[in-house]
């Protein structure tokens, strides 16, 4: 009877009527299954293990409250002891005793090595990651002015450029030791060592302009050093024999890079002895500017 009614009402074929009879019960089950499931869960409930219930409760109660700039601020360690200090002088171990975080302590020392100085207390807050609450705790122990004074602040480990009323005697730049160099305002222990080390690598300074090549020396310090020193006119720098030196020896000179040293050795192998500066001009990797710079430091014997 159902077959006939569906066939007459919808105009289905026999196979379509059979398919419809199969699909109708399935559709009814799908439509009514969801409300029946909800009614069953309300009446009988779902079993949740106690461990899962406890975990769900902990997750619900947990709240995360991020601090402002939390990614930038590095928390300070608890200070083992507080004592008066000058951030321009003390070492990493003293910073750690005061409670500075290791990263901040190293950042301060690196800043000083680059020529940076702290003139007033609030300059410490300019260091990236400095904790403001820790800064307030150590504020009274910082041996720096609260504000910029009329007279320029001089750190205890710096020697003034000259004593009042006393002229500064000039010294030979190629003979000076670190003690003489540190008498120049702006040159500390590390800068003095860098000047001496670079002088040794060069073989001696032949012009004052070479001071600009020393790492961390700015124009102000170079000008002061140039006024306080001189280069002897008869000075003869230490020379390297360009025909006998190995590739490694040539590459140690500040004006010769490794690939240039390699090209010089290759030229010697192909063409024989380098006779003069004109022969250097035949090496493609050597430009005219570099040739002029290395000229005082090489001989052709």
């Amino acid at each position: 009877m159902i077959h006939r009614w569906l066939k007459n009402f919808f105009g289905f074929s026999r196979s379509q009527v059979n398919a419809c009879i199969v699909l109708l019960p399935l559709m009814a089950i799908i439509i009514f299954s969801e409300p029946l499931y909800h009614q069953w869960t309300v009446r009988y409930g779902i079993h949740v293990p106690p461990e899962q219930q406890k975990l769900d409760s902990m997750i619900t109660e947990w709240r995360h409250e991020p601090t402002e700039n939390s990614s930038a601020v590095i928390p300070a360690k608890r200070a083992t002891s507080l004592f008066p200090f000058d951030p321009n002088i003390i070492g990493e171990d003293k910073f750690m005793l005061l409670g500075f975080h290791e990263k901040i302590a190293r950042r301060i020392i690196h800043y000083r090595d680059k020529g940076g100085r702290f003139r007033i207390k609030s300059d410490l807050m300019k260091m990236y990651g400095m904790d403001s609450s820790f800064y307030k705790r150590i504020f009274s122990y910082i041996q720096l002015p609260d504000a910029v004074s009329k007279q320029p602040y001089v750190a205890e480990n710096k020697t003034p450029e000259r004593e009042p009323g006393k002229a500064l005697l000039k010294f030979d730049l190629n003979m000076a030791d670190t003690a003489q160099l540190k008498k120049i305002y702006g040159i500390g222990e590390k800068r003095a060592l860098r000047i001496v080390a670079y002088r040794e690598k060069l073989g001696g300074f032949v012009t004052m302009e070479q001071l600009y090549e020393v790492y961390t020396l700015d124009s102000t310090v170079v000008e002061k050093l140039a006024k306080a020193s001189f280069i002897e006119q008869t000075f003869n720098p230490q020379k390297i024999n360009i025909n006998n030196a190995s590739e490694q020896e040539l590459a140690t000179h500040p004006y010769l890079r490794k690939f240039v040293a390699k090209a010089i050795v290759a030229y010697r192998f192909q063409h024989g002895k380098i006779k003069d500066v004109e022969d250097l001009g035949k090496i493609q990797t050597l430009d005219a500017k570099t040739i002029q710079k290395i000229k005082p430091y090489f001989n052709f014997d």
Side-chain angles (χ1 to χ4, degrees):
M1 185 175 178
I2 296 175
H3 287 73
R4 188 183 301 168
W5 181 80
L6 290 171
K7 185 176 181 181
N8 294 334
F9 188 81
F10 293 104
F12 288 163
S13 64
R14 185 181 181 85
S15 59
Q16 288 174 331
V17 170
N18 291 335
C20 188
I21 290 173
V22 174
L23 286 173
L24 282 173
L26 289 175
M27 292 173 63
I29 291 170
I30 291 170
I31 291 169
F32 294 106
S33 62
E34 186 177 359
L36 288 172
Y37 173 75
H38 282 299
Q39 186 177 0
W40 181 81
T41 54
V42 170
R43 180 175 297 180
Y44 299 102
I46 300 174
H47 174 68
V48 180
E51 295 82 2
Q52 184 66 39
Q53 291 180 10
K54 186 176 181 180
L55 182 60
D56 291 343
S57 174
M58 290 172 65
I59 292 172
T60 305
E61 293 175 1
W62 180 74
R63 293 289 184 273
H64 177 61
E65 298 177 355
T67 0
E68 186 180 356
N69 295 327
S70 59
S71 60
V73 175
I74 301 175
K77 296 180 179 179
R78 184 176 294 277
T80 54
S81 59
L82 290 174
F83 50 85
F85 70 98
D86 185 342
N88 293 297
I89 299 173
I90 64 171
E92 185 177 341
D93 55 340
K94 294 289 181 67
F95 280 118
M96 301 295 285
L97 282 173
L98 285 162
F100 281 78
H101 193 279
E102 185 178 356
K103 288 184 179 179
I104 299 296
R106 289 180 179 174
R107 202 167 285 159
I108 291 171
I109 291 170
H110 181 68
Y111 171 73
R112 288 182 347 204
D113 290 345
K114 292 284 187 180
R117 287 173 28 79
F118 300 97
R119 298 186 180 278
I120 57 175
K121 294 182 179 182
S122 59
D123 283 348
L124 272 175
M125 281 304 296
K126 295 177 183 178
M127 300 306 299
Y128 179 76
M130 188 70 178
D131 186 3
S132 57
S133 59
F134 174 67
Y135 169 74
K136 290 177 182 177
R137 199 158 64 243
I138 63 170
F139 181 85
S140 59
Y141 294 92
I142 305 171
Q143 290 186 314
L144 291 176
D146 293 349
V148 179
S149 58
K150 293 181 181 180
Q151 296 296 326
Y153 171 74
V154 180
E156 292 179 12
N157 66 334
K158 297 289 185 181
T159 308
E161 187 176 353
R162 59 173 61 88
E163 293 179 13
K166 187 176 180 181
L168 184 67
L169 296 175
K170 284 193 171 187
F171 56 84
D172 189 335
L173 184 59
N174 285 306
M175 300 297 291
D177 56 16
T178 55
Q180 286 177 300
L181 293 170
K182 286 192 292 183
K183 291 179 181 178
I184 307 302
Y185 184 82
I187 298 179
E189 181 70 24
K190 290 194 175 181
R191 281 184 171 178
L193 288 171
R194 287 192 190 110
I195 293 168
V196 172
Y198 190 71
R199 185 180 67 193
E200 295 301 316
K201 285 184 179 180
L202 277 175
F205 293 110
V206 292
T207 65
M208 287 294 180
E209 284 70 25
Q210 289 174 301
L211 289 170
Y212 289 100
E213 299 166 8
V214 180
Y215 180 63
T216 74
L217 284 193
D218 55 32
S219 57
T220 305
V221 177
V222 170
E223 287 172 9
K224 289 180 179 180
L225 183 53
K227 288 178 182 177
S229 63
F230 63 90
I231 296 172
E232 188 66 53
Q233 292 183 354
T234 58
F235 174 71
N236 190 23
Q238 186 178 354
K239 297 181 185 291
I240 300 172
N241 191 317
I242 202 165
N243 289 301
N244 294 334
S246 66
E247 180 183 325
Q248 289 76 17
E249 288 174 322
L250 292 169
T252 56
H253 198 277
Y255 292 155
L256 290 182
R257 300 174 71 178
K258 191 173 181 180
F259 73 91
V260 178
K262 197 170 193 176
I264 292 173
V265 174
Y267 182 88
R268 284 187 339 213
F269 179 77
Q270 293 173 2
H271 304 280
K273 186 177 179 180
I274 299 172
K275 298 183 181 67
D276 48 33
V277 176
E278 290 183 5
D279 279 351
L280 288 177
K282 297 173 185 177
I283 302 173
Q284 292 184 354
T285 54
L286 270 174
D287 55 71
K289 186 178 179 180
T290 304
I291 291 172
Q292 288 302 312
K293 287 171 73 174
I294 68 173
K295 185 178 175 181
Y297 298 102
F298 291 88
N299 60 45
F300 305 90
D301 298 335

